[in-house]
Amino acid sequence: MMNAKQLYDILAKVQEPKGYFFNKDTEKVFELLEGLLVNKERYGYMCCPCRLAADNREYDTDIICPCIYREPDVAEYGSCYCNLYVSSFEPDRHFAAILILSLSECSRQSLQRG
């Protein structure tokens, strides 16, 4: 079975030429990579560990990493939702993106409860 370091090396080699880099917070990155590997073992595919999977590959195609949301999120916020992939190594920009995404999620939950 593949480990997180091996997955990191494979994904970095494929994604960096496309302009997607791993977050500089390697502890967070390796936690997310471990989550991808757990999901691969659990579901048979690497769905995003930050999203709820349905255990149905056809239904979950949008959240299989790299998910379909990565490109627009990285373009708009500088990082994907889980902050695994970033557009470059600009920590302040990525912190702002996380804050914006977190605040928008809190607002959405408040509106749903309201």
Side-chain angles (χ1 to χ4, degrees):
M1 181 172 161
M2 184 181 310
N3 65 38
K5 173 65 172 129
Q6 292 167 320
L7 182 58
Y8 180 96
D9 292 340
I10 291 167
L11 293 176
K13 186 176 182 178
V14 171
Q15 299 302 325
E16 287 181 4
K18 297 177 183 180
Y20 299 104
F21 302 91
F22 284 123
N23 188 319
K24 284 184 108 173
D25 182 348
T26 54
E27 184 177 332
K28 169 98 172 154
V29 167
F30 278 91
E31 286 175 14
L32 291 166
L33 293 175
E34 289 289 341
L36 286 171
L37 292 170
V38 166
N39 286 344
K40 170 76 172 165
E41 189 172 315
R42 181 180 294 154
Y43 305 119
Y45 50 93
M46 288 192 290
C47 55
C48 179
C50 298
R51 300 183 186 269
L52 187 59
D55 195 11
N56 178 320
R57 186 182 185 96
E58 186 176 321
Y59 185 78
D60 289 337
T61 57
D62 63 327
I63 62 169
I64 294 174
C65 189
C67 70
I68 65 167
Y69 311 105
R70 179 189 68 171
E71 185 176 340
D73 284 353
V74 170
E76 185 172 352
Y77 303 112
S79 69
C80 65
Y81 179 75
C82 64
N83 209 27
L84 176 64
Y85 289 108
V86 298
S87 58
S88 64
F89 298 115
E90 300 175 32
D92 291 340
R93 182 174 177 197
H94 303 305
F95 175 76
I98 295 166
L99 183 59
I100 290 166
L101 288 170
S102 297
L103 291 174
S104 75
E105 182 61 28
C106 290
S107 296
R108 190 174 18 250
Q109 288 176 3
S110 293
L111 289 173
Q112 289 173 348
R113 289 186 205 136

